[in-house]
Amino acid sequence: MKKKAFPLVKVNTLLQHGPVVMISTAAGGRNNVMTLSWLTMVDFDPPLVGCVISDENRTFGTLKNTCECVINIPTLAIARKALACGSTSGADTDKFAAFGLTPQKASLVKAPLIKECYASLECRLEDSGMSDKYNFFVLKVVKAWVSGEKKPKTLHHLGGNSFMLPGRTVKVKKWK
Ligand SMILES: Cc1cc2nc3c(=O)[nH]c(=O)nc-3n(C[C@H](O)[C@H](O)[C@H](O)COP(=O)(O)O)c2cc1C
Protein backbone atom coordinates (compact mmCIF):
# COMPACT_ATOMS: atom_id res chain seq x y z
CA MET A 1 0.00 0.00 0.00
CA LYS A 2 1.46 3.36 -1.04
CA LYS A 3 1.47 5.88 1.80
CA LYS A 4 1.87 9.64 2.02
CA ALA A 5 3.22 11.73 4.89
CA PHE A 6 0.45 12.59 7.38
CA PRO A 7 0.40 15.59 9.77
CA LEU A 8 1.63 14.66 13.26
CA VAL A 9 -1.05 16.81 14.95
CA LYS A 10 -3.73 14.56 13.38
CA VAL A 11 -2.22 11.24 14.51
CA ASN A 12 -4.84 11.01 17.27
CA THR A 13 -7.54 10.52 14.61
CA LEU A 14 -5.84 7.28 13.55
CA LEU A 15 -5.65 5.77 17.02
CA GLN A 16 -8.27 7.10 19.40
CA HIS A 17 -10.95 4.61 18.25
CA GLY A 18 -8.66 1.84 19.47
CA PRO A 19 -7.59 -0.19 16.43
CA VAL A 20 -5.40 -3.26 16.72
CA VAL A 21 -1.86 -2.33 15.71
CA MET A 22 1.29 -4.18 14.70
CA ILE A 23 4.48 -2.97 16.36
CA SER A 24 7.57 -3.50 14.24
CA THR A 25 11.10 -3.37 15.63
CA ALA A 26 14.61 -4.06 14.36
CA ALA A 27 17.73 -5.20 16.15
CA GLY A 28 20.93 -6.92 15.08
CA GLY A 29 19.86 -6.80 11.42
CA ARG A 30 16.60 -8.65 12.13
CA ASN A 31 13.09 -7.25 11.81
CA ASN A 32 10.26 -8.36 14.06
CA VAL A 33 6.58 -7.55 14.50
CA MET A 34 4.02 -8.19 17.23
CA THR A 35 0.29 -7.50 17.35
CA LEU A 36 -1.06 -5.22 20.08
CA SER A 37 -4.47 -4.02 21.17
CA TRP A 38 -3.73 -2.35 24.52
CA LEU A 39 -2.86 1.20 23.49
CA THR A 40 -4.07 4.73 24.13
CA MET A 41 -3.38 8.31 23.03
CA VAL A 42 -1.60 10.23 25.78
CA ASP A 43 -1.13 13.65 24.11
CA PHE A 44 -1.88 15.42 20.81
CA ASP A 45 1.18 17.51 19.99
CA PRO A 46 3.68 15.99 19.94
CA PRO A 47 1.61 12.82 19.55
CA LEU A 48 2.32 10.50 22.47
CA VAL A 49 0.96 6.96 22.58
CA GLY A 50 0.90 4.63 25.57
CA CYS A 51 0.99 0.86 25.15
CA VAL A 52 1.35 -2.30 27.20
CA ILE A 53 3.92 -4.79 25.92
CA SER A 54 4.35 -7.91 28.03
CA ASP A 55 7.89 -8.59 29.18
CA GLU A 56 7.41 -12.14 27.89
CA ASN A 57 7.41 -10.76 24.35
CA ARG A 58 10.62 -10.38 22.41
CA THR A 59 9.47 -6.88 21.43
CA PHE A 60 9.72 -5.74 25.06
CA GLY A 61 13.51 -6.12 25.17
CA THR A 62 14.07 -4.88 21.62
CA LEU A 63 12.10 -1.70 22.28
CA LYS A 64 13.94 -1.09 25.55
CA ASN A 65 17.33 -1.60 23.88
CA THR A 66 16.78 0.25 20.59
CA CYS A 67 14.30 2.89 21.88
CA GLU A 68 12.54 2.83 18.49
CA CYS A 69 9.61 1.11 16.79
CA VAL A 70 6.88 1.62 14.20
CA ILE A 71 3.16 1.41 15.02
CA ASN A 72 1.47 -0.06 11.92
CA ILE A 73 -2.32 -0.15 11.54
CA PRO A 74 -3.64 -3.24 9.72
CA THR A 75 -7.09 -3.71 8.17
CA LEU A 76 -9.37 -6.69 7.58
CA ALA A 77 -7.38 -7.50 4.42
CA ILE A 78 -4.49 -8.81 6.55
CA ALA A 79 -6.42 -9.88 9.68
CA ARG A 80 -5.07 -13.44 9.54
CA LYS A 81 -1.50 -12.14 9.32
CA ALA A 82 -2.10 -9.83 12.29
CA LEU A 83 -3.46 -12.75 14.31
CA ALA A 84 -0.48 -14.90 13.33
CA CYS A 85 1.99 -12.19 14.39
CA GLY A 86 0.22 -12.14 17.74
CA SER A 87 0.66 -15.84 18.38
CA THR A 88 4.26 -16.47 17.36
CA SER A 89 7.50 -15.11 18.75
CA GLY A 90 10.22 -13.34 16.84
CA ALA A 91 12.62 -15.32 19.02
CA ASP A 92 12.19 -18.32 16.71
CA THR A 93 10.29 -17.03 13.65
CA ASP A 94 11.00 -14.44 10.97
CA LYS A 95 7.39 -13.24 10.90
CA PHE A 96 7.85 -10.99 7.85
CA ALA A 97 8.93 -14.00 5.79
CA ALA A 98 6.61 -16.55 7.42
CA PHE A 99 3.43 -14.48 7.01
CA GLY A 100 4.18 -12.64 3.79
CA LEU A 101 4.64 -9.11 5.14
CA THR A 102 6.83 -6.58 3.33
CA PRO A 103 9.25 -4.41 5.33
CA GLN A 104 9.78 -0.89 3.99
CA LYS A 105 12.49 1.53 5.03
CA ALA A 106 11.36 4.13 7.53
CA SER A 107 12.62 7.72 7.33
CA LEU A 108 13.73 8.38 10.91
CA VAL A 109 13.98 5.00 12.67
CA LYS A 110 15.60 1.65 11.88
CA ALA A 111 12.43 -0.37 12.49
CA PRO A 112 10.56 -1.05 9.23
CA LEU A 113 7.15 0.13 8.05
CA ILE A 114 4.82 -2.69 7.01
CA LYS A 115 3.77 -2.15 3.39
CA GLU A 116 0.48 -4.07 3.77
CA CYS A 117 -0.75 -1.80 6.61
CA TYR A 118 -2.79 1.29 5.76
CA ALA A 119 -0.91 3.56 8.21
CA SER A 120 2.55 3.48 9.81
CA LEU A 121 3.80 5.71 12.62
CA GLU A 122 7.54 5.96 13.24
CA CYS A 123 8.14 6.21 16.99
CA ARG A 124 10.88 6.88 19.50
CA LEU A 125 10.61 5.66 23.06
CA GLU A 126 9.63 8.67 25.17
CA ASP A 127 9.27 7.08 28.61
CA SER A 128 9.78 3.57 29.96
CA GLY A 129 9.43 4.62 33.58
CA MET A 130 6.43 2.33 34.16
CA SER A 131 7.70 -0.59 32.08
CA ASP A 132 9.16 -2.61 34.94
CA LYS A 133 6.01 -2.41 37.04
CA TYR A 134 3.23 -2.29 34.39
CA ASN A 135 4.94 -3.16 31.06
CA PHE A 136 3.75 0.31 30.02
CA PHE A 137 5.67 2.39 27.45
CA VAL A 138 5.05 5.90 26.16
CA LEU A 139 6.03 6.35 22.51
CA LYS A 140 6.47 9.63 20.64
CA VAL A 141 5.35 9.57 17.00
CA VAL A 142 8.04 11.38 14.99
CA LYS A 143 6.80 10.66 11.45
CA ALA A 144 3.41 9.44 10.20
CA TRP A 145 2.46 7.77 6.89
CA VAL A 146 -1.08 7.00 5.70
CA SER A 147 -2.47 5.47 2.51
CA GLY A 148 -5.36 7.09 0.67
CA GLU A 149 -7.71 4.21 1.63
CA LYS A 150 -11.19 5.57 2.40
CA LYS A 151 -12.96 4.16 5.48
CA PRO A 152 -10.30 1.56 6.29
CA LYS A 153 -11.70 -1.57 7.92
CA THR A 154 -9.56 -1.42 11.05
CA LEU A 155 -9.70 -4.31 13.52
CA HIS A 156 -11.02 -3.88 17.07
CA HIS A 157 -10.11 -6.75 19.36
CA LEU A 158 -12.79 -8.51 21.43
CA GLY A 159 -10.43 -11.25 22.66
CA GLY A 160 -9.16 -14.50 21.14
CA ASN A 161 -9.76 -14.47 17.38
CA SER A 162 -12.85 -12.20 17.57
CA PHE A 163 -12.75 -8.66 16.19
CA MET A 164 -15.23 -5.87 15.52
CA LEU A 165 -15.05 -3.73 12.41
CA PRO A 166 -15.81 0.02 12.44
CA GLY A 167 -19.52 0.80 12.16
CA ARG A 168 -21.53 3.85 11.16
CA THR A 169 -20.16 7.31 11.93
CA VAL A 170 -22.62 9.69 13.63
CA LYS A 171 -22.18 13.43 14.23
CA VAL A 172 -23.74 14.44 17.54
CA LYS A 173 -25.27 17.91 17.76
CA LYS A 174 -23.56 19.98 20.43
CA TRP A 175 -25.62 20.83 23.56
CA LYS A 176 -25.19 24.61 22.98
C1 LIG B 1 -5.19 -9.31 18.58
C2 LIG B 1 -4.02 -9.41 19.52
C3 LIG B 1 -3.75 -8.39 20.41
C4 LIG B 1 -2.64 -8.47 21.26
N1 LIG B 1 -2.41 -7.44 22.14
C5 LIG B 1 -1.30 -7.47 22.91
C6 LIG B 1 -1.01 -6.38 23.78
O1 LIG B 1 -1.73 -5.37 23.84
N2 LIG B 1 0.12 -6.45 24.54
C7 LIG B 1 0.96 -7.55 24.51
O2 LIG B 1 1.95 -7.56 25.23
N3 LIG B 1 0.68 -8.61 23.71
C8 LIG B 1 -0.41 -8.59 22.90
N4 LIG B 1 -0.67 -9.64 22.07
C9 LIG B 1 0.22 -10.81 22.08
C10 LIG B 1 1.53 -10.61 21.30
O3 LIG B 1 1.28 -10.10 20.01
C11 LIG B 1 2.25 -11.96 21.20
O4 LIG B 1 2.65 -12.36 22.50
C12 LIG B 1 3.42 -11.99 20.23
O5 LIG B 1 3.73 -13.33 19.97
C13 LIG B 1 4.66 -11.27 20.73
O6 LIG B 1 5.63 -11.35 19.72
P1 LIG B 1 7.21 -11.17 19.99
O7 LIG B 1 7.61 -12.20 21.03
O8 LIG B 1 7.85 -11.44 18.66
O9 LIG B 1 7.42 -9.76 20.48
C14 LIG B 1 -1.78 -9.59 21.22
C15 LIG B 1 -2.07 -10.63 20.32
C16 LIG B 1 -3.17 -10.54 19.47
C17 LIG B 1 -3.44 -11.66 18.50
Side-chain angles (χ1 to χ4, degrees):
M1 225 176 271
K2 198 163 167 52
K3 304 184 187 87
K4 287 187 182 155
F6 187 75
L8 288 178
V9 289
K10 287 175 143 188
V11 160
N12 65 298
T13 63
L14 302 172
L15 292 178
Q16 64 194 21
H17 56 306
V20 168
V21 299
M22 297 169 80
I23 306 274
S24 49
T25 48
R30 285 185 57 195
N31 294 326
N32 189 28
V33 50
M34 71 165 275
T35 305
L36 181 138
S37 52
W38 287 8
L39 90 168
T40 177
M41 284 307 298
V42 171
D43 206 345
F44 284 104
D45 189 15
L48 298 180
V49 181
C51 61
V52 176
I53 299 176
S54 164
D55 58 5
E56 292 184 3
N57 293 335
R58 185 179 179 86
T59 303
F60 180 96
T62 311
L63 177 60
K64 269 203 156 179
N65 292 335
T66 63
C67 299
E68 292 181 345
C69 68
V70 177
I71 298 173
N72 302 274
I73 308 180
T75 57
L76 183 59
I78 58 162
R80 288 190 70 206
K81 298 183 184 202
L83 193 60
C85 290
S87 49
T88 43
S89 177
D92 49 35
T93 306
D94 175 349
K95 297 189 218 180
F96 279 87
F99 306 126
L101 295 167
T102 314
Q104 286 183 320
K105 201 171 168 8
S107 65
L108 299 177
V109 300
K110 290 205 176 70
L113 317 182
I114 300 176
K115 185 178 178 194
E116 290 78 9
C117 286
Y118 101 95
S120 295
L121 313 173
E122 299 181 31
C123 296
R124 294 217 170 92
L125 181 57
E126 173 76 5
D127 192 346
S128 59
M130 285 200 282
S131 62
D132 287 342
K133 191 166 179 191
Y134 296 113
N135 294 338
F136 189 80
F137 296 88
V138 178
L139 306 170
K140 176 155 78 181
V141 181
V142 292
K143 184 81 191 172
W145 303 97
V146 178
S147 86
E149 188 172 343
K150 297 273 180 263
K151 300 208 171 176
K153 290 193 175 78
T154 48
L155 303 165
H156 301 265
H157 197 206
L158 298 173
N161 62 348
S162 298
F163 298 86
M164 278 193 302
L165 297 177
R168 210 158 52 97
T169 300
V170 290
K171 296 236 178 191
V172 177
K173 199 173 170 195
K174 287 183 181 160
W175 193 257
K176 279 189 179 174

